[in-house]
Amino acid sequence: MSSPFDVLEQYKNTSPLEDPHVGPVTDPYSGLVFYELSHEWGTGVPSYPGDADVIFDHGVKHAQFGVQAFKVRTNFHTGTHMIAPIHMKARTQDLETLDPARYFGNGIILDLRSKSNWDKITAEDLKAAGEIKDGDIVAINTGWHHKYSDSMEYFGEAPGLTIDAAEYLISKNPKFVAIDTPYIDCPCATNLTPHKGMPGPFMKRLVPIYEEKTGRNALEDYPGFYPVGKALAAAGIPVVAQMSGDVDDITGKRATMLATPWKIHRGDACPVRFVAIFDPSGEVRIDRGI
């Protein structure tokens, strides 16, 4: 008899776990075109080093009761998820108090797929990738979503933003910032590596591997502890991590985007269904409600 833990095996490799490409879906009534920007979520999806796996307990079954229901054990920082400012800074907004208008709006999908292992994404990189308008949702495609797996490379070697990139984004007053990597910071600036007075390291082999592959000192290159995440949090800007799906199809374009978390009191994170919406006719409007 199989168990939920059997599903974990598919994630323990360094190759892509899923074909994230689904293709657009057109609503037959409105003509709106929807693109998926999320990873599949469920038992055993790749979890951050130091965190427990997501487990679905199939406790109510069709064969027994004629209905189905799951119990879930999870860390909310799993899959494609939104991170509220309170995660990185005390006495800031949580998922309950964030303005719902932040979850929906127009924005741009920037092409940073030229970036590779441990590369820095600077303000100049963001400016070169496209025009960010004031109040945009900003989605950053590095191509890293194709490496999604329970692997050293996926969690430990992703590219990340620099503090000047964070400052540039803050100047544009984005509704939220999305990225297809596990962290918006470089992994060496997280709890995967040792930082004085901070938890971790949860990936003890990362610093030696970084220094072996690059010939540089990881903590000299990345002395801060989540500096980008903290800067965005201090500015009240949520972050969506681990974007995926059809993002390659719409990279470089402008779109309407939507990502809605649960309304959780003091909630610091929650998985989201992240989508991009296009209106080919330019005629669709929100109902006036009268």
Side-chain angles (χ1 to χ4, degrees):
M1 179 181 294
S2 63
S3 77
F5 293 96
D6 294 335
V7 184
L8 296 174
E9 295 305 313
Q10 69 176 302
Y11 297 105
K12 294 181 177 178
N13 60 68
T14 56
S15 59
L17 302 176
E18 59 181 274
D19 179 1
H21 188 270
V22 177
V25 175
T26 301
D27 176 64
Y29 174 75
S30 66
L32 292 174
V33 181
F34 293 79
Y35 283 81
E36 176 71 69
L37 300 180
S38 312
H39 281 295
E40 180 183 293
W41 191 72
T43 293
V45 295
S47 59
Y48 289 94
D51 288 350
D53 289 307
V54 176
I55 299 296
F56 277 39
D57 179 7
H58 193 183
V60 180
K61 305 173 184 179
H62 280 292
Q64 185 176 5
F65 298 106
V67 295
Q68 172 181 285
F70 284 99
K71 294 180 180 178
V72 182
R73 287 172 285 166
T74 186
N75 182 310
F76 280 104
H77 293 260
T78 53
T80 305
H81 61 285
M82 179 174 284
I83 304 166
I86 199 171
H87 179 60
M88 288 289 176
K89 185 173 175 59
R91 296 182 292 278
T92 53
Q93 289 178 304
D94 61 12
L95 293 175
E96 179 186 28
T97 57
L98 277 171
D99 183 349
R102 280 194 173 273
Y103 306 147
F104 173 83
N106 296 322
I108 187 168
I109 302 91
L110 299 178
D111 191 351
L112 274 300
R113 287 175 291 182
S114 60
K115 296 296 180 178
S116 188
N117 302 48
W118 294 306
D119 280 350
K120 295 181 178 182
I121 298 171
T122 67
E124 290 305 313
D125 291 326
L126 296 178
K127 293 174 185 177
E131 180 188 0
I132 300 173
K133 298 180 180 180
D134 186 70
D136 266 351
I137 293 169
V138 181
I140 302 168
N141 181 11
T142 70
W144 207 254
H145 59 283
H146 292 293
K147 299 178 183 289
Y148 188 59
S149 60
D150 176 21
S151 66
M152 164 70 198
E153 184 181 31
Y154 177 71
F155 284 104
E157 300 185 16
L161 272 62
T162 59
I163 192 63
D164 76 305
E167 291 167 350
Y168 172 65
L169 288 171
I170 291 167
S171 75
K172 295 295 184 177
N173 189 35
K175 289 191 170 183
F176 66 82
V177 177
I179 194 165
D180 64 336
T181 56
Y183 308 92
I184 199 160
D185 285 276
C186 177
C188 293
T190 72
N191 59 13
L192 299 185
T193 56
H195 292 269
K196 188 175 181 180
M198 298 294 117
F202 290 114
M203 190 181 278
K204 295 181 179 179
R205 56 201 173 119
L206 176 53
V207 169
I209 289 174
Y210 179 89
E211 294 178 353
E212 177 185 353
K213 289 187 176 181
T214 68
R216 303 192 304 271
N217 185 295
L219 299 183
E220 288 180 1
D221 285 355
Y222 300 97
F225 188 67
Y226 294 100
V228 174
K230 287 186 174 184
L232 294 175
I237 300 168
V239 171
V240 169
Q242 301 192 133
M243 174 177 65
S244 183
D246 299 333
V247 64
D248 289 338
D249 290 359
I250 58 174
T251 295
K253 297 181 180 180
R254 294 192 60 81
T256 300
M257 288 177 267
L258 171 68
T260 53
W262 301 350
K263 186 178 181 179
I264 305 172
H265 177 60
R266 294 190 60 77
D268 63 295
C270 183
V272 294
R273 190 70 177 266
F274 187 22
V275 298
I277 309 167
F278 292 86
D279 175 17
S281 71
E283 297 176 354
V284 175
R285 296 294 182 268
I286 299 297
D287 197 295
R288 293 175 62 189
I290 58 174

